[in-house]
Amino acid sequence: MSTNPFIIPNIPWQERPANSADVIWRYSANPIIPRDLIPTSNSIFNSAVVPFEGKFAGVFRCDNKKREMNLHVGFSEDAINWTLGHDPIEWLCDDPEIGSYQYRYDPRVVWLEDRYYVTWCNGYHGPTIGVGYTYDFKKFHFLENALLPFNRNGVLFPRKINGKYVMLSRPSDNGHTPFGDIYISQSPDMIHWGEHRFVMGTKGGWQSTKIGAGPIPIETPEGWLMFYHGVLTSCNGFVYSFGAALLDLEQPWKVIRRGASYLLSPQTLYECVGDVPNVAFPCAALYDQPTDRIAIYYGGADTVTALAFTKSADVLEWLKHNSEI
Ligand code: BMA
């Protein structure tokens, strides 16, 4: 059993369809998680998975039928068929001031040094970035809110850079946020965050309203491969697509390349129709380094969870020819 999170021989996978030239292609049996997988759920989407003990585990956003947003644990043998806890994760925390529930959503999970860290959008007088950890996906510990409200899309890098923990985030407002750029914050201890740096802002078209980091960035020899969502405001509301950028390995606030087009936009029924139409929102990626395969997990229309595939060499090659910084 491999303990290296980037060696995943059992990564879910389908080859690119023969008639497709897409850089990212969808799993043919999407969505993999229906909205009603557990009895209490209204919707299950924007969720995060990691390899765990030769199989897979994850933290899932489940909105219940009261429309409360919360996080549930999940396990899978194949990373496609999931069993989810019926009750939300209970976060162990000695300080009720920060540990009590307001809302929790859009988790990310990363193996970092000796444990799995979880970050999510945490309600504390407005949305901010909650940070917690688990060793075993049984006991979950809440650490702190990393940043002040209002902030969303907190995404950790999978290792320290220059001796510091590094987190991407997207300062926001208390509502639906008609703006938003990606920043980096750094920390010596996962509690105190500072040395904030601007990474990149909105651009035209599919990423003209706001952008936000998606899965944990993937380390490649050429830089950190970051998938991120971009939002366009149409006359019918927000449209969430996702694309890719490459960040400097040592100074990840420096953008080396940034794809001009989206790589996946809401076009299928489960991306276009649901509680919030026209949303493809990635929160996780499995990466099997030996075969270069990537499986991306994304929410469809704020209702279901879907899967898409690519190879890191294909994205890097595409970025070489399609970059506009
Ligand atoms: C964002 C977040 C996401 C959601 C998206 C589209 O602000 O709330 O969870 O997927 O809006 O509704």
Side-chain angles (χ1 to χ4, degrees), residues 45-46 61 63 69 105-106 108 121 152-153 170 172 175-177 210 229 231 238-240 275-281 283 299-303:
F45 57 109
N46 300 2
R61 171 174 176 175
D63 293 6
M69 303 178 280
Y105 64 80
D106 294 0
R108 273 69 166 188
C121 179
R152 293 184 173 102
N153 298 300
R170 209 279 305 287
S172 67
H176 296 301
T177 317
K210 52 182 168 176
H229 68 258
V231 180
F238 288 158
V239 178
Y240 281 73
D275 285 349
V276 181
N278 305 318
V279 181
F281 194 99
C283 285
D302 283 12
T303 304

Side-chain angles (χ1 to χ4, degrees), residues 16 42 140 296:
R16 177 190 282 108
N42 167 78
F140 288 84
I296 300 171

Side-chain angles (χ1 to χ4, degrees), residues 46-211:
N46 300 2
S47 297
V49 311
V50 286
F52 177 65
E53 295 184 343
K55 300 173 186 169
F56 301 91
V59 176
F60 294 79
R61 171 174 176 175
C62 296
D63 293 6
N64 68 19
K65 288 175 181 166
K66 293 191 239 169
R67 299 302 297 267
E68 294 164 334
M69 303 178 280
N70 217 329
L71 307 177
H72 290 229
V73 72
F75 298 96
S76 175
E77 304 254 332
D78 60 6
I80 291 175
N81 297 288
W82 288 87
T83 305
L84 265 53
H86 289 194
D87 297 314
I89 291 169
E90 284 187 28
W91 292 89
L92 302 171
C93 180
D94 294 334
D95 183 354
E97 168 63 19
I98 53 167
S100 60
Y101 167 85
Q102 290 181 14
Y103 49 82
R104 303 187 179 110
Y105 64 80
D106 294 0
R108 273 69 166 188
V109 184
V110 60
W111 171 259
L112 215 173
E113 294 173 339
D114 63 347
R115 66 190 81 179
Y116 299 91
Y117 283 94
V118 186
T119 56
W120 65 94
C121 179
N122 192 42
Y124 181 70
H125 306 278
T128 182
I129 311 302
V131 182
Y133 64 88
T134 182
Y135 294 103
D136 53 11
F137 289 90
K138 289 183 189 132
K139 273 190 184 172
F140 288 84
H141 304 264
F142 181 72
L143 260 182
E144 258 299 343
N145 291 306
L147 300 163
L148 290 169
F150 308 113
N151 207 310
R152 293 184 173 102
N153 298 300
V155 178
L156 289 166
F157 284 74
R159 65 166 172 84
K160 282 184 170 170
I161 302 172
N162 301 314
K164 289 171 191 147
Y165 298 111
V166 182
M167 182 192 286
L168 298 157
S169 78
R170 209 279 305 287
S172 67
D173 68 12
N174 204 10
H176 296 301
T177 317
F179 62 88
D181 301 334
I182 298 177
Y183 288 79
I184 263 176
S185 304
Q186 305 176 67
S187 171
D189 57 6
M190 216 30 116
I191 304 281
H192 304 89
W193 293 88
E195 297 175 287
H196 313 292
R197 301 284 183 273
F198 176 83
V199 180
M200 60 190 217
T202 53
K203 260 174 106 61
W206 68 277
Q207 46 184 339
S208 51
T209 299
K210 52 182 168 176
I211 56 173

